Amino acid sequence: MMKGLIFNIQRYSVHDGSGIRTVVFLKGCPLFCPWCSNPESQGAVQHTEWIKNGKTETIGEWKTVEEVVDEVLKDEMFFRTSSGGVTLSGGEALAQYEFARELLKELKLYSIHTAIETTGSTSAYHLKELLPYLDQVLFDLKIMDEKNLKKVLGANLSKVKESFKLAAETEGVELIPRVPLIPDYTANEENLMQIIDFLKKYNINQVHLLPFHQYGSNKYHYLGWEYAMDGIPALSTDEINNIKEIFIAKKIIPIIEGLA
Ligand code: SF4
């Protein structure tokens, strides 16, 4: 029986797709964003250990599709009354695309609204496998300079673009581009203009912006890792407003969403 390695199931989320959602966090991510708020999810699909309050904890639990479905169906009433549903996140949910596909397939049998949060940086084939069972794709665009993207995050821009194109051209799937606003990395005018040019190619006129925060910083401490964003302040209201203006000037509506 197929199992997925899950490191969290979060209920009552309102920032991860439409309505009230239950978010299933899958382990594994090929990227290493310096600002990552789930660093315990990075790397291969395998357990991670950290030391929290003096105790060693193992992150991640193998679960069957049925176990996850039983868990998320507890909130079915909230999904129905809020036009919400289930969102697969990570990590990079595509890192376990076979499990994700089977889980989405099962959720569709219950007519549950489904979404995925992805960077599209594994393979377009992985996303293609999931698209028949997805209603929404929340697609994170980060750094649009190819060399910089490779150097900073370890991602391949052509894979990102290919996956994005696939989602954009799939009928019946709502594509929501999201941009984490990270000081020194993504939240500069040159990068934002590149994102705007890219969105324009697909006639997209709305973007969700996710301002940087330091909420994941203690996890680096538990893992014994250095936190590259230590001491970097959150963007000020003025800075966020200036960024919104960049999008508005190009006729793209910016929506400030949850947090990066
Ligand atoms: S893609 Fe997401 S989970 Fe992966 S390293 Fe970046 S922020 Fe973390």
Side-chain angles (χ1 to χ4, degrees), residues 29 31-33 36 41-42 91 119 142:
C29 180
L31 307 193
F32 33 89
C33 306
C36 181
S41 69
Q42 293 178 7
T119 63
K142 301 181 190 225

Side-chain angles (χ1 to χ4, degrees), residues 2-255:
M2 189 181 286
K3 290 188 175 184
L5 190 57
I6 312 292
F7 70 98
N8 192 14
I9 294 180
Q10 184 181 305
R11 303 165 74 184
Y12 313 120
S13 171
V14 291
H15 290 299
D16 301 282
S18 56
I20 296 173
R21 310 200 67 86
T22 295
V23 185
V24 180
F25 291 87
L26 291 109
K27 278 270 293 170
C29 180
L31 307 193
F32 33 89
C33 306
W35 58 87
C36 181
S37 56
N38 289 322
E40 74 275 35
S41 69
Q42 293 178 7
V45 181
Q46 60 188 23
H47 290 111
T48 303
E49 284 191 347
W50 67 21
I51 300 172
K52 189 174 175 184
N53 302 326
K55 285 189 189 149
T56 301
E57 292 181 354
T58 301
I59 312 295
E61 195 179 334
W62 290 103
K63 289 181 186 285
T64 63
V65 167
E66 289 70 25
E67 285 169 332
V68 178
V69 170
D70 283 352
E71 182 68 25
V72 301
L73 283 182
K74 290 176 186 167
D75 290 326
E76 193 176 1
M77 189 185 73
F78 295 105
F79 304 156
R80 306 272 176 227
T81 52
S82 71
S83 301
V86 173
T87 300
L88 305 190
S89 185
E92 168 55 72
L94 294 179
Q96 297 188 61
Y97 77 95
E98 288 166 308
F99 176 78
R101 181 190 58 213
E102 297 311 306
L103 176 56
L104 291 169
K105 221 187 261 185
E106 191 69 15
L107 290 170
K108 276 295 155 208
L109 293 180
Y110 291 90
S111 301
I112 302 289
H113 183 278
T114 56
I116 188 172
E117 293 176 335
T118 183
T119 63
S121 50
T122 59
S123 158
Y125 168 76
H126 296 162
L127 184 58
K128 192 175 180 183
E129 286 281 293
L130 271 52
L131 283 170
Y133 315 106
L134 281 167
D135 297 299
Q136 269 180 342
V137 175
L138 309 171
F139 202 114
D140 283 9
L141 294 170
K142 301 181 190 225
I143 296 172
M144 294 307 275
D145 176 81
E146 190 169 5
K147 281 190 185 152
N148 214 13
L149 179 69
K150 187 80 189 162
K151 188 173 137 208
V152 179
L153 308 187
N156 180 314
L157 189 61
S158 53
K159 282 186 184 172
V160 173
K161 287 182 170 177
E162 199 185 340
S163 297
F164 191 94
K165 183 171 187 286
L166 189 66
E169 293 176 350
T170 302
E171 274 185 38
V173 171
E174 185 187 6
L175 173 62
I176 300 177
R178 308 193 309 176
V179 180
L181 298 178
I182 313 298
D184 295 338
Y185 289 102
T186 68
N188 60 75
E189 189 160 354
E190 191 185 348
N191 188 52
L192 297 174
M193 286 307 297
Q194 284 177 298
I195 289 174
I196 288 168
D197 288 344
F198 182 66
L199 295 180
K200 286 283 175 192
K201 283 185 198 159
Y202 295 97
N203 295 320
I204 289 173
N205 58 10
Q206 198 176 86
V207 67
H208 290 201
L209 304 177
L210 292 77
F212 166 70
H213 63 86
Q214 293 235 355
Y215 294 165
S217 60
N218 54 346
K219 295 181 175 180
Y220 288 81
H221 179 65
Y222 302 152
L223 290 161
W225 296 358
E226 194 181 326
Y227 181 44
M229 303 300 286
D230 206 13
I232 307 279
L235 294 169
S236 67
T237 305
D238 280 353
E239 285 171 318
I240 292 175
N241 285 338
N242 288 342
I243 288 170
K244 284 168 77 177
E245 286 303 326
I246 292 173
F247 284 95
I248 291 168
K250 296 293 179 181
K251 300 193 167 28
I252 294 179
I253 301 165
I255 296 172

